Amino acid sequence: MPAHPYSHTIGPHTYTFRDLKDLMARATPLRSGDLLAGVAAQSEQERVAAQMALAALPLATFLNEALIPYEDDEITRLIIDSHDSAAFAPVSHLTVGDFRNWLLSDTVTCTELTALAPGITPEMAAAVSKIMRNQDLILVAKKCRVVTQFRNTLGLEGRLATRLQPNHPTDDATGIAASLLDGLLYGSGDAVIGINPATDNVPQVIKLVTMVNDIIQRYGIPTQSCVLTHVTNTIEAIGRGAPVDLVFQSIGGTEATNRSFGVSLSLLAEARQAALSLQRGTVGDNVMYFETGQGSALSANAHHGLDQQTCEVRAYAVARHFKPLLVNTVVGFIGPEYLFDGKQIVRAGLEDHFCGKLLGLPMGCDVCYTNHAEADQNDMDNLLTLLGVAGCNFVMGIPGSDDIMLNYQTTSFHDALYARRVLGLRPAPEFEAWLQQMGIVRPGAPFQLGADVPPAFQTALRSLR
């Protein structure tokens, strides 16, 4: 009698897994969200058995067995219908374990990984990540380079960008401007100047996006702005003539998750076309900004029995389809119900970054945690440093690491400055040239701030006092 296709024997005990969905879940490194969902391995021995069985599985299996049925989910249909078999051909004969070895080999460079990306499905990326150590995730992600452009060029070798996030609990213009100028003086803001509005309606969105646009235009800053409102608000704001640069939306890895967010693939396509019609980019036309996070599908009861990391990576198929400028996993934002402590947050951040890069995404990370998680800023220092080594495209920059509007802890302007200095990383080239022109940073390495506030900013700062 042939062995069950999803089983592995350790000593006298044979572990059998119900189907591919069950195998993927049981092979996942421990996290609280999978325990909450009832899909996690029951012991470390079972987890190892699942990882061994997964390593022996042919990669092509994921093209023949959908984790969510094709007819039930538009994300599954997108994954299958957009798969590039020619790009997949170089690894089509490999098992998941062989694929890990191939990725880690010295002969595989950025060139091969870039060509491979359209041939890799989210499930393949998730599967191989589950059998990789943290150092494996870092090493392969560092080999991946994904470059995008709007008013500057992001993702180049030796660069680390930041999202300047000047949130305010009442959307006060003076408070936002103070945080914005503070961030610019620390060299933050090349990825995007992005505001989460406290009052989320179309008139307020237009007010905020116009304010930031005026600052960008006044000082000639080679960056882009975004108000992180629902995509329908952005479409309406564009229709009313607002100076919208990027369209933002939170997305998930199942159709049901996206329905809970009030979005669909067709709506995202409409938004992208609306933004493209404005032709506001100067060096490129990547106009979309997506955020994701492990646990969103489970919190919406839309996970179809999948583990949370596999759901997360399926969201990257949605992002990839719309050629975004920025994608970031808000890794610890949802809370300890999904990622319990610093160790789980660090692991999830490295997984998300690796999988996104492998799929060809311009991946960043909101290195963050909520105040009721078993984590602290030292854990965030660790993850920030590891992601910097791994070639992360961008991180967040917030005054004092504390978002006073969203009430969570993330990375500060100082943290981004630390990462650039200790790892020898620089901002986007166009933005760096502007920083030097303004006297905010000194020319040459390492990345050093100027001694004085630039004259152009002195009047603005005095007006805020």
Side-chain angles (χ1 to χ4, degrees), residues 314-338:
R314 282 171 55 94
Y316 303 160
V318 179
R320 180 170 64 177
H321 184 64
F322 295 104
K323 300 177 174 60
L325 180 76
L326 307 165
V327 180
N328 73 271
T329 167
V330 193
V331 65
F333 184 75
I334 304 181
E337 299 85 358
Y338 305 97

Side-chain angles (χ1 to χ4, degrees), residues 83-313:
H83 181 253
D84 187 331
S85 57
F88 180 59
V91 298
S92 61
H93 61 291
L94 300 179
T95 65
V96 173
D98 292 334
F99 184 42
R100 170 188 174 273
N101 295 338
W102 184 87
L103 290 170
L104 291 168
S105 67
D106 290 340
T107 57
V108 173
T109 67
C110 180
T111 301
E112 286 78 18
L113 292 173
T114 300
L116 176 69
I120 297 300
T121 69
E123 292 84 356
M124 293 175 192
V128 74
S129 75
K130 294 175 192 297
I131 63 168
M132 297 174 85
R133 292 171 56 186
N134 286 3
Q135 67 172 249
D136 300 338
L137 300 173
I138 293 167
L139 179 59
V140 177
K142 186 173 181 61
K143 293 198 274 187
C144 299
R145 281 285 145 204
V146 182
V147 177
T148 56
Q149 295 180 304
F150 189 76
R151 287 202 190 97
N152 57 29
T153 305
L154 303 171
L156 294 170
E157 182 78 27
R159 306 279 174 169
L160 174 64
T162 59
R163 169 187 161 191
L164 203 171
Q165 188 168 311
N167 293 345
H168 192 277
T170 63
D171 287 340
D172 177 74
T174 301
I176 290 171
S179 294
L180 200 159
L181 289 171
D182 187 23
L184 291 173
L185 289 171
Y186 280 99
S188 284
D190 47 343
V192 65
I193 299 173
I195 302 173
N196 298 87
T199 305
D200 196 2
N201 57 54
V202 175
Q204 185 68 358
V205 168
I206 294 174
K207 178 182 176 182
L208 291 173
V209 77
T210 301
M211 171 191 169
V212 179
N213 178 69
D214 288 347
I215 293 173
I216 289 174
Q217 297 302 319
R218 176 179 177 182
Y219 295 107
I221 310 171
T223 190
Q224 36 282 328
S225 70
C226 185
V227 175
L228 283 72
T229 185
H230 192 270
V231 65
T232 52
N233 288 341
T234 304
I235 292 172
E236 187 170 345
I238 291 172
R240 296 189 192 183
V244 170
D245 290 339
L246 305 184
V247 175
F248 167 81
Q249 184 56 48
S250 295
I251 56 173
T254 71
E255 181 180 346
T257 306
N258 287 325
R259 192 182 307 122
S260 77
F261 292 151
V263 299
S264 63
L265 296 179
S266 60
L267 181 61
L268 294 174
E270 178 187 349
R272 180 171 180 266
Q273 288 305 311
L276 287 171
S277 72
L278 300 180
Q279 297 183 327
R280 291 179 56 81
T282 56
V283 297
D285 63 357
N286 298 114
V287 296
M288 303 300 283
Y289 174 17
F290 295 114
E291 286 188 347
T292 67
Q294 290 194 26
S296 60
L298 176 58
S299 66
N301 194 29
H303 61 298
H304 294 268
L306 295 181
D307 66 272
Q308 68 183 39
Q309 191 246 346
T310 300
C311 279
E312 166 74 4
V313 185

